[in-house]
């Protein structure tokens, strides 16, 4: 487990943490993470390595919630890994493999700290990490995989020819082709180590031993990885009270542990204004909301139009969303003034104009505030928040139909959406709504907002929706032209 300590003997080491590592080389792409790291890392590297890994684990959990096939899950996971946590083979040229494997190693151990603190978090972390290991195992080069297996003692017993011939008929009966029997290799382990193979009747059992053919050898490896990680997570949890004394890490770990709730969004840089190559004006917001906004922002817009007001949290959440959408400060003042049409100009200027300018970094400490991500909206507990989490089931169903019915969502879609909501996968529900309402643009189930990714930011949802609409308009113009 981690050994965290302040290093303040020099100016360079301040603000850094130290973590243990026995041995600095990473000979294999596959890793059981037996030994924790020991080297200085900045707080930024500590957090970034974990966030990039968490993006992948969150998408793995989303894949399970969306009932993706194994091949679909493997494709999406591999794509996410290439984007956020590349891990090239030992034969790859032109890449710093040592740096890649160091980042992978560090991120895993940081997430152990975040996810060891409850039984539920440990269960979800182990399941996602085991899936990630399986994907890497299956996509690893055969020579490197064999090298990794040879480097560890998996405590299996190779079945010799005499024993193999003794149980020839029994072994062949377990889906082994007779013509390949002589070339097949078998390994003997206690049956409790391969419960999945026993359950699927894939192995011959004798005297408490399971005879595992080489083609099913991976089951032993996966089970060993899972058991190893479960044990280490429990050991890490016993050290957490001491780690909680480090005030630098508490907020980071709390934020990471929320990662499965809403996925992990990257910092938003693109905006629909870039897609449209034109500024967003105040009078355009009504039309954009009806066509492109996710449910959280459409709900805020509808409440604003109905009540002519929003509470402080609602104004902040919706105002920052509109800012990133491409609404300038001048247009934002016009939009909010028209929305608050039941008050005088003097009241508006005193109560709201300063806050609007402040959100654009023109007042106060002049910070450029980003729009709220799904994770921030879900965990804030404020009003209006995320409809998928905060609405009652009945209200959510009726709102979904009334809001997105014109865009193709039907009552038959509600069962699947509500199932993911009840499972706590709120961003998965939002992603499925996006797929359904953009099917006319060629979006299919499982596509998400592109490449299988789930929605993790309201502006991300809106940008992709507007991008698809623009592509359709251009295509129609080409046909007519």
């Amino acid at each position: 487990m981690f050994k965290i300590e302040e290093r303040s003997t020099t100016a360079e080491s301040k603000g850094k943490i130290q973590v243990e590592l026995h041995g600095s080389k990473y000979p294999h792409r596959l890793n059981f993470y037996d030994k924790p790291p020991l080297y200085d890392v900045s707080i930024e590297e500590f957090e970034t390595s974990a966030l990039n890994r968490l993006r992948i684990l969150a998408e793995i959990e989303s894949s399970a919630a969306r009932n993706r096939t194994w091949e679909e899950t493997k494709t999406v996971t591999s794509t996410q890994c290439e984007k956020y946590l590349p891990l090239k083979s030992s034969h790859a040229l032109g890449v710093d493999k040592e740096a890649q494997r160091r980042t992978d190693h560090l991120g895993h151990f940081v997430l152990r700290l975040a996810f060891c603190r409850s039984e539920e978090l440990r269960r979800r972390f182990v399941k996602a990490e085991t899936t990630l290991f399986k994907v890497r195992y299956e996509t690893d080069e055969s020579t490197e995989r064999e090298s990794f297996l040879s480097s560890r003692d998996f405590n299996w017993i190779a079945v010799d020819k005499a024993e193999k011939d003794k149980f020839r008929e029994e072994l062949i009966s377990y889906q082994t082709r007779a013509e390949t029997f002589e070339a097949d290799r078998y390994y003997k382990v206690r049956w409790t180590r391969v419960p999945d193979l026993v359950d699927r009747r894939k192995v011959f059992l004798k005297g408490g031993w399971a005879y595992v053919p080489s083609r099913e050898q991976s089951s032993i490896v996966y089970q060993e990885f899972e058991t190893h990680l479960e044990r280490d997570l429990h050991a890490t949890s016993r050290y957490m009270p001491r780690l909680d004394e480090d005030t630098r890490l508490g907020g980071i770990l709390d934020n990471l542990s929320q990662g499965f709730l809403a996925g992990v969004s990257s910092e938003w840089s693109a905006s629909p204004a870039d897609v449209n190559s034109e500024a967003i004006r105040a009078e355009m917001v009504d039309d954009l909301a009806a066509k492109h906004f996710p449910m959280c922002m459409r709900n805020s817009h509808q409440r604003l139009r109905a009540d002519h007001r929003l509470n402080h949290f609602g104004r902040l959440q919706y105002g920052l969303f509109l800012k990133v959408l491409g609404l300038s400060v001048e247009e934002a003042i016009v939009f909010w003034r028209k929305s608050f049409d039941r008050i005088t100009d003097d009241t508006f200027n005193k109560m709201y104009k300063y806050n609007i300018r402040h959100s654009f970094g023109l007042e106060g400490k002049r910070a450029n505030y980003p729009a709220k991500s799904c994770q921030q909206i879900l965990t804030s507990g404020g009003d209006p928040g995320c409809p998928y989490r905060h609405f009652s089931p009945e209200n959510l169903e009726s709102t979904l139909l009334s809001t997105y019915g014109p865009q193709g969502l039907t009552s038959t879609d509600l069962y699947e959406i509500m199932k993911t909501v009840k499972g706590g996968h709120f961003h998965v529900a939002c992603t499925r709504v996006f797929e359904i309402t953009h099917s006319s643009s060629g979006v299919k189930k499982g596509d998400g907002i592109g490449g299988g990714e789930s929605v993790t930011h309201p502006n991300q949802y809106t940008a992709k929706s507007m991008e698809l609409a623009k592509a359709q308009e251009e295509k129609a113009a080409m046909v007519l032209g």
Side-chain angles (χ1 to χ4, degrees), residues 247-302:
T247 57
R248 298 166 299 167
L249 304 183
I252 294 175
L253 297 178
D254 287 340
N255 182 58
L256 290 171
S257 66
Q258 296 289 340
F260 282 142
L261 185 64
V264 184
S265 61
S266 57
E267 288 299 320
W268 193 253
S269 56
S271 73
D274 299 324
V275 176
N276 285 336
S277 67
E278 63 178 74
I280 303 298
R281 300 186 303 277
E283 63 267 23
M284 297 168 60
V285 176
D286 285 338
D287 186 58
L288 292 173
K291 294 178 180 178
H292 304 296
F293 286 10
M295 194 171 177
C296 55
M297 297 306 155
R298 192 178 292 199
N299 177 53
S300 293
H301 186 79
Q302 290 171 343

